[in-house]
Each structure stands twice: as C-alpha cells, then as structure tokens.
Amino acid sequence: MPLTNHDVAVKLGAQPDASGGYPGSAYISRGLPVLGGCEGCGATLAPYNAYPSVSGYLRCSDCIGDTGFDSWDEYADHYANLGMTEGGAP
Ligand SMILES: [Zn+2]
C-alpha cells in the first residue's frame, strides 16, 4: 500500500508516547491533520488510514488507486517540486 500520513509522521521523526501510541500532537506538529476526509468517497480518515494523493487531498485505501506515493522519496520529491517543505501541508 502507499504511504499513509502516519508513515509520513514517523519519517519526520514522530515517536510513540509512554502508552505506545502516537498522540495527536505527533501529527499536528508536523503539519499533518489528525482527522480528514477522503477526496473520493468522503470517508473519515485518521493518520493510519489517510493516504496522501498527488491531487493534494487525502484518500482512503479504496480510493487511492495509483494516485498515492509508494515511497518516502516519491512523496518528498513531489512536495519539493511544489516548493513545499517535506510533510508540510499547503
Ligand atoms: Zn474513499
């Protein structure tokens, strides 16, 4: 499967807290939303099931198709080419 927002946060240095989970601040502090909606079907998305798409919107696992990022390098290159910092939402 393509990269999720959780994968992006971990790549950007997010660490689990004492409970072993990732607090919302781990995402928010990296410019990633804690909740979002799928561009295709409107499903509610949290970091673990939110797939960034080349469209700039998030998509669910059913709707991401081949519009996601298969690797961190692909993701970082895409945002670098848009003049954005890595992981930084517009
Ligand atoms: Zn969807």
Side-chain angles (χ1 to χ4, degrees), residues 4-62:
T4 63
N5 267 353
H6 175 72
D7 297 327
V8 172
V10 169
K11 195 70 188 180
L12 293 173
Q15 299 285 333
D17 64 17
S19 74
Y22 288 78
S25 59
Y27 306 103
I28 293 168
S29 65
R30 291 170 175 81
L32 301 165
V34 171
L35 283 178
C38 174
E39 180 186 13
C41 69
T44 302
L45 302 174
Y48 286 91
N49 65 349
Y51 298 87
S53 163
V54 292
S55 70
Y57 291 97
L58 299 172
R59 293 190 179 192
C60 73
S61 59
D62 288 337

